[in-house]
Amino acid sequence: QVQLVESGGGLVQPGGSLRLSCAASGSIVSINFMGWYLQAPGKQRELVAVINSGGSTNYADSVKGRFTVSRDNAKNTVYLQMNSLKPEDTAVYYCNAHLKLYGSNWYTAYWGQGTQVTVSS
């Protein structure tokens, strides 16, 4: 059984920082893309940042220069360092990973359970 377990969300003041982590576990052969999405109340889920197995990254325009996505392939873990947080960053953040499992020939997308990030004074 595959699990993506997130941690690191919480309440922070504007201008503050948070670091999210997401660890994948299960019968994993390899991981292609790993990344983060957010979903604000009443809105659709949208991409925040993604990183591939080679370390190439892509960011939403709204977080460029403030957020950094990274991964530790040995630990099957992806991180999101969020600096200079703004109230509009408030949302539930979801981890996403494209995993190839033992016995499978293709990659499948899996989601974490989500972690709340609230930016407020």
Side-chain angles (χ1 to χ4, degrees):
Q1 184 176 354
V2 173
Q3 281 191 311
L4 297 182
V5 179
E6 301 160 352
S7 61
L11 173 65
V12 64
Q13 292 186 343
S17 298
L18 282 175
R19 188 190 195 212
L20 306 183
S21 300
C22 172
S25 63
S27 301
I28 300 169
V29 173
S30 64
I31 304 177
N32 191 354
F33 293 96
M34 300 186 83
W36 296 91
Y37 289 70
L38 65 81
Q39 188 165 19
K43 296 188 177 181
Q44 290 189 334
R45 195 172 296 186
E46 59 186 59
L47 175 71
V48 177
V50 64
I51 183 169
N52 69 13
S53 56
S56 295
T57 59
N58 192 33
Y59 295 92
D61 288 342
S62 60
V63 306
K64 285 180 180 177
R66 300 189 297 124
F67 291 9
T68 302
V69 62
S70 61
R71 63 191 280 175
D72 184 332
N73 291 328
K75 296 181 179 180
N76 289 343
T77 299
V78 63
Y79 305 96
L80 184 68
Q81 178 66 45
M82 303 186 293
N83 298 329
S84 302
L85 281 160
K86 305 175 182 180
E88 51 263 43
D89 295 320
T90 296
V92 177
Y93 284 71
Y94 293 91
C95 171
N96 172 265
H98 291 218
L99 312 178
K100 181 185 287 186
L101 306 182
Y102 283 100
S104 176
N105 293 323
W106 51 82
Y107 289 90
T108 302
Y110 289 86
W111 292 92
Q113 79 282 2
T115 185
Q116 177 70 46
V117 171
T118 302
V119 185
S120 175
S121 55

